[in-house]
Amino acid sequence: MIITKIDGYTDQISYLICMMNYTRNITLGSVQGLNQQQLDSLLDENSNSIGALLWHIAAIEYAYFVNTFEERELNEDEQREWGAALRLGEEAREKIRGNDLNFYLQKLNDVRKNTLEKFKDVDDEWLHTIDEYYNGIPINRYFKWFHVMEDEINHRGQINLIKKRI
């Protein structure tokens, strides 16, 4: 539980990775041992399943990977694969079902592996680059990656609530 320098990465990227890894480890602990029925359970007709939330966590990281490293939006093929998980709601309730925990863990692991590899190729200046504005407010890549982590923490809270209720 130390935020520190990691060999192969710049200082700020190391610190970000430490926080992202801690966040992921806690998320993985939250879902350990869940079966397909638990992953597909819905609290009500408007809720998301734990499985959909896990895929959403992977999808957010994938979308920000494409946005920050490739400087583009998702293409049609990527939208078909990741779109329901990104949007959640009714579409996710219909499409994201019937998968075991390993399916979702593989999505999370594959995306994170790519993220960690790509972080080796950039530096702290890249992380601090402002490449977008939202309603006139500048957004740098550091904030985008903070949001990836913050989004996971938010949805882990939902996952823990669902687990207590099912």
Side-chain angles (χ1 to χ4, degrees), residues 5-165:
K5 176 82 173 81
I6 302 171
D7 289 340
Y9 301 97
T10 61
D11 290 349
Q12 293 295 310
I13 291 173
S14 292
Y15 305 150
L16 178 62
I17 291 170
C18 288
M19 291 182 279
M20 290 173 67
N21 286 344
Y22 177 78
T23 298
R24 179 59 48 83
N25 287 336
I26 301 300
T27 299
L28 296 177
S30 292
V31 299
Q32 184 177 359
L34 294 182
N35 62 39
Q36 182 183 329
Q37 180 182 357
Q38 292 168 312
L39 293 166
D40 287 347
S41 291
L42 297 170
L43 294 180
D44 58 46
E45 67 277 358
N46 295 313
S47 67
N48 293 298
S49 68
I50 293 172
L53 292 169
L54 289 171
W55 197 338
H56 175 77
I57 291 167
I60 289 292
E61 184 166 337
Y62 182 82
Y64 277 87
F65 178 96
V66 168
N67 178 270
T68 59
F69 290 115
E70 299 178 11
E71 299 180 1
R72 65 178 180 84
E73 299 300 317
L74 299 181
N75 63 37
E76 285 183 34
D77 289 338
E78 291 165 327
Q79 280 291 345
R80 277 191 287 283
E81 179 178 355
W82 300 98
L86 283 169
R87 293 182 288 275
L88 292 172
E90 183 62 35
E91 183 181 10
R93 284 189 288 280
E94 291 175 15
K95 293 181 178 179
I96 302 177
R97 310 186 54 68
N99 303 303
D100 65 12
L101 182 58
N102 286 331
F103 173 86
Y104 299 110
L105 296 181
Q106 192 65 53
K107 292 267 185 206
L108 290 163
N109 290 335
D110 289 348
V111 171
R112 180 57 54 89
K113 180 181 175 188
N114 289 337
T115 297
L116 294 176
E117 278 302 310
K118 207 65 167 158
F119 271 145
K120 290 178 181 177
D121 298 336
V122 296
D123 58 19
D124 293 345
E125 185 176 322
W126 175 90
L127 198 59
H128 290 281
T129 300
I130 297 170
D131 62 5
E132 201 168 322
Y133 287 82
Y134 179 75
N135 292 334
I137 300 169
I139 303 171
N140 66 11
R141 293 174 182 147
Y142 210 149
F143 182 84
K144 290 178 181 184
W145 283 99
F146 163 78
H147 176 68
V148 169
M149 180 178 55
E150 177 267 337
D151 191 73
E152 180 169 342
I153 293 167
N154 177 53
H155 292 301
R156 184 176 66 236
Q158 291 176 308
I159 288 168
N160 289 334
L161 174 71
I162 295 167
K163 277 178 41 183
K164 288 179 182 178
R165 301 288 168 103

